[in-house]
Amino acid sequence: MSTSQTTTTEHHPALAHQFDSMQQQQEASTFGMWVFLLTELMMFGGLFTAYLIYRIKYYQAFVAGSTSISVGWGFTNTLVLIGSSFTMAMAVWSAQLGRRKPQVWFLIGTMILGAAFLGIKSKEYYDKWDECHIPGHVIGKGFNAWGGCSANNPKLGNIAQEIIERAEKSHIEVSPVAAQQTAQQTEIFFSFYFAMTGLHAFHMIIGLGLLSWLLFRAWRGEFGPEYYTPVELGGLYWHFVDIVWIYLFPLLYLISRTRT
Amino acid sequence: MAEHKHPTPKLYAIILLCLVIGTVLTYRAAFWEMGIFNPVVALVIACTKATLVILFFMHIYYSSKLTKLTISAGLFWLLIMITMSLSDYLTRAFLPQ
């Protein structure tokens, strides 16, 4: 802090005694939030690095697994999350100007879009559960991507069959044994899919908790031009979670769609 | 000073529009046959979108040099983790490509 400005905000009730001014307090808080977000970046970054290594090693299986998840829902969810980032930015802007009503409505809008994202995500998870694509044998019916998931519908979740059909379209011969081996290897893709989208969804749930707390305080009219740091930091968190999804969408859903 | 730090709703709307265009573009581009460039294009679009969010939605464009430097250092560290891990795994002779 080069020049500490003595203003009327000095006795603001939200000013902690270790800070000279509201501005200094806000800069320190924002900086601390960014340091926290960078630790989050390293946590997600570790998952992305592991993902890249396995994607290169088991590329065919990653293509097969990626093709089996719904690109339409993933695309919709990306738009939903980008929209929620916009409403969050608008909520911060309203808080900066001390406009209580738009602030409350933009926070509610952000929460609705966040909940919509989680709803669509649960629908996608349910589909994967239905298709026996949950890795391991603990949750659901046990991993099976080579037929035999459903007695009534032999094509349900049968990635091995899809590999053979796609290869036939490109006039390539794939033996059933090779197709089943690739289908078995998609278990590693789905492990990454659930670990990464699961950790992301967990952050969304925490974000919704933060937003309801911000909504309560905004509704009581606690934020204004002098003090809106909690909204600003909540916004930073929300945008960070949005950025993670901006990378998850192309990396998980769009690995190779050209031959489908 | 604080007054200059506020982007306007108009700017936010423009950023939103750019992000939507980027999302549609990355979706469409995934279905074009570009060989090795498919993941490259997808990542370039994703990085552009992330940069827009960081600069404007997260106000880094208006923030202090200290914050900018800290974030750059964090991103650089992430790149070290990814490139060094990959340069290890990709050059191991026993690992089939």
Side-chain angles (χ1 to χ4, degrees), chain B:
Chain B
M1 186 182 166
E3 274 70 35
H4 300 287
K5 284 188 170 182
H6 301 175
T8 57
K10 195 182 158 195
L11 179 70
Y12 284 147
I14 292 169
I15 300 299
L16 174 71
L17 188 69
C18 294
L19 292 174
V20 169
I21 290 171
T23 306
V24 173
L25 202 63
T26 195
Y27 174 76
R28 296 293 298 273
F31 293 90
W32 301 333
E33 179 65 69
M34 290 182 285
I36 188 81
F37 289 104
N38 267 321
V40 176
V41 168
L43 282 177
V44 166
I45 295 173
C47 289
T48 313
K49 284 163 71 184
T51 309
L52 286 176
V53 173
I54 291 172
L55 283 183
F56 298 104
F57 280 178
M58 297 170 98
H59 306 150
I60 284 310
Y61 185 78
Y62 309 92
S63 75
S64 64
K65 279 192 178 133
L66 175 68
T67 316
K68 281 177 186 156
L69 185 67
T70 310
I71 293 157
S72 313
L75 291 174
F76 185 64
W77 235 243
L78 179 73
L79 284 179
I80 290 177
M81 175 161 71
I82 292 174
T83 51
M84 290 217 166
S85 306
L86 283 181
S87 59
D88 172 10
Y89 278 96
L90 299 187
T91 52
R92 288 186 188 185
F94 57 83
L95 201 77
Q97 286 292 312

Side-chain angles (χ1 to χ4, degrees), chain A residues 150-250:
Chain A
S150 159
N152 307 324
N153 183 3
K155 288 196 83 175
L156 183 76
N158 192 341
I159 292 179
Q161 185 62 32
E162 286 166 20
I163 292 170
I164 293 170
E165 281 169 16
R166 266 202 306 280
E168 273 172 3
K169 268 189 218 163
S170 326
H171 309 289
I172 301 166
E173 197 78 33
V174 174
S175 74
V177 178
Q180 185 180 339
Q181 195 192 11
T182 308
Q184 280 173 330
Q185 288 171 348
T186 59
E187 196 169 4
I188 188 73
F189 169 80
F190 286 115
S191 302
F192 277 109
Y193 171 77
F194 282 107
M196 294 167 96
T197 60
L199 187 64
H200 178 266
F202 179 62
H203 278 78
M204 294 283 297
I205 293 167
I206 292 175
L208 283 178
L210 286 172
L211 281 171
S212 22
W213 172 68
L214 288 175
L215 179 64
F216 175 69
R217 294 186 67 181
W219 178 71
R220 299 210 317 186
E222 284 186 30
F223 304 124
E226 280 119 34
Y227 180 65
Y228 58 91
T229 313
V231 194
E232 167 89 15
L233 301 194
L236 288 180
Y237 178 85
W238 194 260
H239 297 313
F240 173 81
V241 176
D242 182 29
I243 290 174
V244 172
W245 184 261
I246 284 176
Y247 283 94
L248 284 179
F249 174 59

